[in-house]
Amino acid sequence: NLCLQELSTILGSEVPRPVASYVSRWQEDPYVRGAYSYMSVESSVLDKKRLAKPIRNKLYFAGEALSNYYGQTHGAMISGIHVAKAIDKNSNLDLPVGRVY
């Protein structure tokens, strides 16, 4: 309920309850088995920068693989915050100021 309230406040109208949801269990996924990202010997920081570059300021990528803390949860959070700020800066939306992390 808190998330729906926050979204409603940000968007200025009531956000409907989801009709379905999905919870991933990546540690049980037979194709992933709890994998995480890492920089291989053949990769470089430039590879991460290329992956993190938004496409036409419409499609953004975030996650621990694109942070300086790859393979770690707080790296995903930091990357997500960075992308959220970039979207805010590049959008034409006039949203009320909310929490800043």
Side-chain angles (χ1 to χ4, degrees):
N1 285 338
L2 178 62
C3 289
L4 294 175
Q5 290 171 355
E6 289 290 325
L7 285 171
S8 295
T9 300
I10 291 168
L11 298 173
S13 62
E14 187 175 344
V15 174
R17 295 185 66 76
V19 294
S21 63
Y22 175 78
V23 177
S24 65
R25 306 266 188 250
W26 63 276
Q27 69 275 19
E28 297 169 8
D29 184 321
Y31 300 106
V32 179
R33 295 277 187 212
Y36 56 89
S37 67
Y38 68 94
M39 298 257 316
S40 71
V41 175
E42 296 87 16
S43 62
S44 72
V45 174
L46 287 176
D47 295 325
K48 287 186 352 178
K49 287 183 180 182
R50 285 186 198 112
L51 285 171
K53 186 176 179 184
I55 298 173
R56 293 188 209 129
N57 285 331
K58 300 259 184 217
L59 180 60
Y60 292 79
F61 300 95
E64 48 87 20
L66 303 177
S67 77
N68 291 331
Y69 301 98
Y70 47 89
Q72 300 179 34
T73 304
H74 65 285
M77 184 175 146
I78 292 168
S79 174
I81 291 169
H82 176 76
V83 166
K85 288 179 179 180
I87 291 170
D88 183 46
K89 178 182 174 188
N90 294 320
S91 73
N92 293 324
L93 299 174
D94 186 21
L95 300 174
V97 176
R99 294 187 179 112
V100 178
Y101 296 96

